[in-house]
Amino acid sequence: MTEKSRYLEGVEKKDLFAHGHRACGGCGQALAARLVHDAAGENTIACVATGCLEVFSSPYPDPSWRIPFLHSLFENSAAVASGVEAAYKALGKGPVNIIAQGGDGSTADIGFQSISGMFERGHNVLYVCYDNEAYMNTGVQRSSFTPYGARTTTTPTGNRTRKKNLPMIAADHGIPYVATATVDDFRDLQQKVKKALSIEGPKYIHILAPCPLGWGHHGELTVQVCRLAKDTGLFPIFEIVDGKLTNVRKIPVKVPVEEYLKLQGRFKHLFKRGVPAKEVAEIQEIANENIERFNL
Amino acid sequence: MLKQIEGSHAVAEVVSYCRPNVISAYPITPQTHIVEELASIVGRGDLDAEFVNVESEFSAASVVLGASAAGARAYTATTSQGLMLMSEVIYCIAGMRLPIVLTCANRAISAPLSIWNDQQDSMAVRDAGWIQLHAEDNQEASDLHIQAFKIAEQTFLPTMVCMDGFILTHAFEPVDIPEQKEVDAFLPAFKPKHIVDPRWPRGIGLFADPRFYMETRYILHRALEKSQEVIKEVSADFAKVFGRESGGFIKTYKLKEADLVIVSMGSVVGTIKELIDKLEEEGKKVGLLQICSYRPFPRKEVYNALKDKTNITVLEKCISLGRGGILASDIRWSFPRAEKKERNISSFVAGLGGRNISIDDLRYMVEKVEKEPVEFGFLGLRKELIAEKDM
Ligand SMILES: Cc1ncc(C[n+]2csc(CCOP(=O)(O)OP(=O)(O)O)c2C)c(N)n1
Ligand code: SF4
Ligand SMILES: [Mg+2]
């Protein structure tokens, strides 16, 4: 078995989110959307928020979706999905997989209230957040998921706040399933989607989806960037099932954050003449805290 | 069956007979009694529907959007700040051609905060692509809901039934409430056109670049214009089946002989009719033109009703700040350009934020415009509260 075929073993490939979309090369979100929906299968309704995914996949008259796709606004995909679910219940239709989804901005900022409402009401909906750590569709502005130190067009000297911790907030709603994933591990991501969809009630999967354009890395490095995000401890991989933290991915060999940061243009200003700025130590501190908190 | 009943409860009962599959709403005065009553109807099992208690009006509108896109008959109710919060979704619902029915318990908009009635809220979304029907009393409010579902589902246009907050929603009046089987016979089951369903995968809510966007707006505009036929048909049908006139485009009262016509909409027409009767006894011929369908605007009907009239005054509970009367502009637009000069069309704003419109206020208006037309004015303003510099 070649390395590639081992890598792809057991990975569902149905092209339900088909080629022909207009994402940038190496877009983590496009890859994530494909993996999510191929894992979910044909019997799925995608409720998508405004953002890069929607824009690169749903221009009239040629959308890239082979499953039903519903988009209305930027901040309401969770509420729209709640309505779809209510309709299916009321009409006695289904079962069907309903996947509400959006970028970090629509999930953690403007749509935060609507997602909290969906969780709290207990709708049988999976919410997937494609986290590329900024508002990419409007040209890389800061969101509450933008990491400390990162440069965006609205944080030109580097972001001064830490990332909002939505997986924990989701879990604190008492929902039965929360997981994090990245696009470098196809199998893990798809297993989490399948597991989530097998559970009744609201579910949340948070996917780190690197954006070559906004992060300033080469498109072919998207998978490697994900790996480093995990191996530095900056993006912990875990599941929270019925409130209990499980399946925490152990880091095989811990990597200093510098290696992750140096691959990306958005952190370039932290390494003037190759010397790490004091922010780098702060970012290492964040990674260390994660390592300790999740026992990575 | 004739019942002495609160307006909100009458509406809730009638809505339940329309068998919505999904109801979602957020509480706001004076809409609350409608949704509370619906919740209890669903709660006691008299209506088989999903009642989704959301965290905001924005989500209420989004829930009914999703439900309608999945093929459900969906209903919501709101007012004022709630409608403002919904407004982004309101536009979207129309653009997506989802035949949702919404009750607007008309109320003023902040600031200052006011829970009392005027019609600024529904006016603020008049251009969104919804059909807007205005009720005169609680009988009409109930009847219009039955018609609204039928009109919406035939035209694939969302439909808003506007009823004055408190004045109607909280008033106890006798209302003839039809039976379930009568409503069933009048209102067929909803047959959606495009739905999200894995059996027929399709995209709903795609984005349109400049090659396509404008046509969608043209088609929506034409759909609203064409819905006039359906509104007419449904209200005529309703009259045949239920034996009373409700809805339609316009209604008139003692218009034929009138030397002066008052144009208005909503519950204030009750007081206007009272004044008309009084003035008749005094030998003055005043008539009423009442707008029921505000959107689509019945331009032709308005013109036909007013073409022989020279003296017209428009009374409305809303204002385009910095401009003037909104309904008045619509009325002025209803005449061909050449005919405008020969007419005196006065415009008055009244009753904002629940200010009572008394019969004396109306009499004052009539006497004033009899002397000379008023381009634009406020009626019932307490001038003593306004500093000289603010006048
Ligand atoms: C109410 C509203 N505000 C702002 C926008 C503009 N807008 C569209 S997409 C977007 C950013 C999307 O960011 P995110 O959700 O992170 O998705 P991404 O594009 O990064 O995948 C913004 C600000 C909008 N469409 N609607
Ligand atoms: S800007 Fe980023 S998120 Fe958007 S399509 Fe390009 S790579 Fe993907
Ligand atoms: Mg983003």
Side-chain angles (χ1 to χ4, degrees):
Chain A
M1 216 183 230
T2 63
E3 202 197 331
K4 188 179 170 195
S5 60
R6 230 186 342 263
Y7 193 66
L8 293 176
E9 202 192 330
V11 173
E12 301 273 2
K13 191 173 177 306
K14 296 186 172 141
D15 286 340
L16 297 178
F17 173 71
H19 21 74
H21 59 71
R22 293 141 194 224
C24 315
C27 173
Q29 188 167 199
L31 181 54
R34 193 171 132 189
L35 292 166
V36 166
H37 297 96
D38 281 354
E42 285 86 354
N43 189 30
T44 302
I45 296 170
C47 298
V48 180
T50 310
C52 263
L53 171 62
E54 170 260 335
V55 169
F56 68 61
S57 73
S58 75
Y60 177 84
D62 36 34
S64 330
W65 297 82
R66 293 201 177 122
I67 52 169
F69 163 94
L70 179 58
H71 161 259
S72 66
L73 294 166
F74 183 27
E75 63 276 52
N76 67 351
S77 69
V80 169
S82 303
V84 171
E85 186 241 25
Y88 266 71
K89 258 199 213 159
L91 299 170
K93 286 172 56 165
V96 66
N97 303 319
I98 301 170
I99 307 183
Q101 48 202 297
D104 47 294
S106 85
T107 305
D109 295 341
I110 199 166
F112 190 53
Q113 169 179 323
S114 126
I115 284 149
S116 177
M118 184 204 99
F119 288 160
E120 161 275 313
R121 291 189 300 269
H123 293 278
N124 189 21
V125 172
L126 165 61
Y127 192 96
V128 173
C129 170
Y130 304 106
D131 178 11
N132 54 22
E133 304 192 322
Y135 299 142
M136 296 313 177
N137 186 49
T138 36
V140 199
Q141 296 87 11
R142 176 200 177 270
S143 81
S144 63
F145 278 3
T146 301
Y148 181 81
R151 196 180 240 167
T152 67
T153 51
T154 51
T155 52
T157 56
N159 186 41
R160 293 286 140 216
T161 53
R162 289 186 177 198
K163 207 169 155 163
K164 191 191 271 187
N165 194 338
L166 200 55
M168 290 318 200
I169 297 170
D172 277 346
H173 281 76
I175 65 175
Y177 186 78
V178 172
T180 61
T182 62
V183 291
D184 72 304
D185 191 340
F186 295 3
R187 231 181 344 249
D188 177 65
L189 192 159
Q190 289 202 325
Q191 272 164 7
K192 284 171 174 165
V193 170
K194 284 185 181 172
K195 185 165 174 182
L197 291 172
S198 74
I199 297 170
E200 184 76 20
K203 287 84 57 171
Y204 177 68
I205 300 182
H206 187 125
I207 303 174
L208 188 70
C211 162
L213 184 99
W215 293 15
H217 64 273
H218 288 288
E220 69 267 23
L221 294 182
T222 287
V223 162
Q224 185 169 357
V225 165
C226 282
R227 237 171 247 165
L228 286 169
K230 298 195 297 194
D231 289 348
T232 50
L234 285 172
F235 194 82
I237 299 294
F238 55 81
E239 290 177 290
I240 300 175
V241 182
D242 293 325
K244 284 198 195 65
L245 184 68
T246 61
N247 292 329
V248 178
R249 174 189 176 269
K250 291 275 181 196
I251 301 174
V253 182
K254 293 190 179 61
V255 177
V257 294
E258 272 192 53
E259 284 190 37
Y260 172 70
L261 302 177
K262 277 183 166 167
L263 281 186
Q264 306 170 48
R266 62 178 172 158
F267 296 113
K268 204 169 152 199
H269 60 290
L270 300 181
F271 298 95
K272 284 201 186 105
R273 285 180 293 275
V275 185
K278 61 178 191 322
E279 284 90 343
V280 176
E282 169 99 19
I283 297 169
Q284 185 62 56
E285 189 50 39
I286 294 169
N288 295 347
E289 281 171 24
N290 282 341
I291 290 168
E292 197 176 326
R293 178 175 186 187
F294 294 96
N295 194 16
L296 300 174
Chain B
M1 196 176 69
L2 209 57
K3 270 191 184 174
Q4 186 71 20
I5 189 171
E6 193 194 68
S8 296
H9 289 190
V11 165
E13 196 172 331
V14 163
V15 166
S16 81
Y17 294 151
C18 296
R19 300 186 192 273
N21 307 110
V22 175
I23 300 167
S24 185
Y26 190 81
I28 178 165
T29 306
Q31 151 266 34
T32 41
H33 292 184
I34 300 174
V35 292
E36 285 167 1
E37 181 64 11
L38 273 166
S40 81
I41 292 170
V42 174
R44 61 175 187 259
D46 288 349
L47 170 66
D48 187 13
E50 286 294 313
F51 191 101
V52 188
N53 271 307
V54 280
E55 82 300 331
S56 69
E57 285 87 355
F58 198 91
S59 282
S62 302
V63 164
V64 293
L65 182 156
S68 182
R73 179 175 284 167
Y75 169 82
T76 185
T78 191
T79 170
S80 180
Q81 309 310 125
L83 191 61
M84 293 296 96
L85 189 59
M86 277 185 184
S87 64
E88 194 191 5
V89 194
I90 290 290
Y91 267 75
C92 215
I93 286 170
M96 294 170 82
R97 304 295 298 273
L98 298 172
I100 289 161
V101 171
L102 179 152
T103 309
C104 177
N106 286 107
R107 167 184 148 178
I109 297 176
S110 285
L113 188 140
S114 163
I115 59 165
W116 291 277
N117 164 250
D118 65 35
Q119 294 169 352
Q120 194 71 42
D121 50 0
S122 56
M123 271 299 169
V125 293
R126 76 195 157 169
D127 301 328
W130 284 58
I131 291 173
Q132 290 191 341
L133 307 173
H134 278 263
E136 165 183 355
D137 54 24
N138 283 334
Q139 184 65 61
E140 192 168 43
S142 317
D143 294 348
L144 282 178
H145 281 86
I146 308 174
Q147 297 185 29
F149 280 103
K150 194 163 180 168
I151 294 166
E153 290 169 11
Q154 278 186 26
T155 57
F156 288 89
L157 290 167
T159 302
M160 192 177 295
V161 179
C162 303
M163 62 191 291
D164 284 322
F166 287 114
I167 300 171
L168 295 185
T169 56
H170 287 55
F172 277 78
E173 282 174 15
V175 178
D176 189 351
I177 297 186
E179 283 177 36
Q180 178 70 67
K181 60 175 190 296
E182 295 176 283
V183 178
D184 285 344
F186 183 78
L187 179 65
F190 174 38
K191 286 199 200 72
K193 245 198 295 204
H194 307 306
I195 57 170
V196 280
D197 187 322
R199 283 173 293 177
W200 310 284
R202 66 186 314 141
I204 300 183
L206 308 187
F207 83 83
D209 70 25
R211 288 173 301 163
F212 303 111
Y213 182 86
M214 212 155 120
E215 286 67 29
T216 69
R217 306 312 280 178
Y218 173 82
I219 293 166
L220 181 54
H221 173 64
R222 290 291 296 140
L224 268 150
E225 288 185 336
K226 289 181 196 165
S227 73
Q228 300 197 352
E229 283 311 308
V230 179
I231 295 170
K232 221 184 291 181
E233 249 172 57
V234 170
S235 95
D237 241 25
F238 186 92
K240 230 183 288 157
V241 174
F242 294 92
R244 59 178 170 267
E245 303 276 336
S246 270
F249 284 167
I250 57 165
K251 281 187 266 183
T252 59
Y253 186 70
K254 302 191 174 169
L255 182 84
K256 227 173 173 176
E257 308 292 315
D259 298 323
L260 169 69
V261 182
I262 305 176
V263 182
S264 197
M265 58 188 189
S267 62
V268 71
V269 301
T271 324
I272 297 173
K273 286 182 198 168
E274 223 177 290
L275 173 76
I276 290 172
D277 291 346
K278 277 208 176 125
L279 292 175
E280 195 178 32
E281 284 165 25
E282 295 163 25
K284 266 189 204 168
K285 288 184 195 145
V286 178
L288 166 73
L289 171 66
Q290 173 190 349
I291 308 294
C292 179
S293 159
Y294 179 62
R295 285 291 181 272
F297 191 78
R299 186 182 191 188
K300 212 163 60 198
E301 283 69 16
V302 168
Y303 173 70
N304 286 337
L306 297 180
K307 63 177 185 292
D308 305 323
K309 308 292 176 189
T310 4
N311 296 315
I312 298 160
T313 180
V314 183
L315 179 80
E316 58 192 302
K317 293 181 180 177
C318 56
I319 178 171
S320 170
L321 295 167
R323 166 72 159 78
I326 305 172
L327 180 60
S329 313
D330 291 311
I331 299 296
R332 284 174 176 144
W333 166 82
S334 298
F335 298 99
R337 191 175 290 270
E339 290 188 31
K340 260 174 213 155
K341 282 194 204 70
E342 310 150 25
R343 271 170 232 281
N344 301 319
I345 303 179
S346 298
S347 164
F348 288 91
V349 166
L352 299 187
R355 176 67 49 87
N356 183 42
I357 304 175
S358 70
I359 210 160
D360 288 339
D361 293 330
L362 297 176
R363 182 186 282 274
Y364 171 83
M365 172 182 77
V366 167
E367 283 165 6
K368 193 151 171 123
V369 300
E370 274 172 346
K371 276 188 231 119
E372 60 172 340
V374 176
E375 191 62 30
F376 177 64
F378 275 69
L379 199 63
L381 204 58
R382 295 180 58 197
K383 295 210 171 89
E384 71 275 18
L385 296 184
I386 303 169
E388 192 59 41
K389 68 172 175 44
D390 292 327
M391 275 305 221

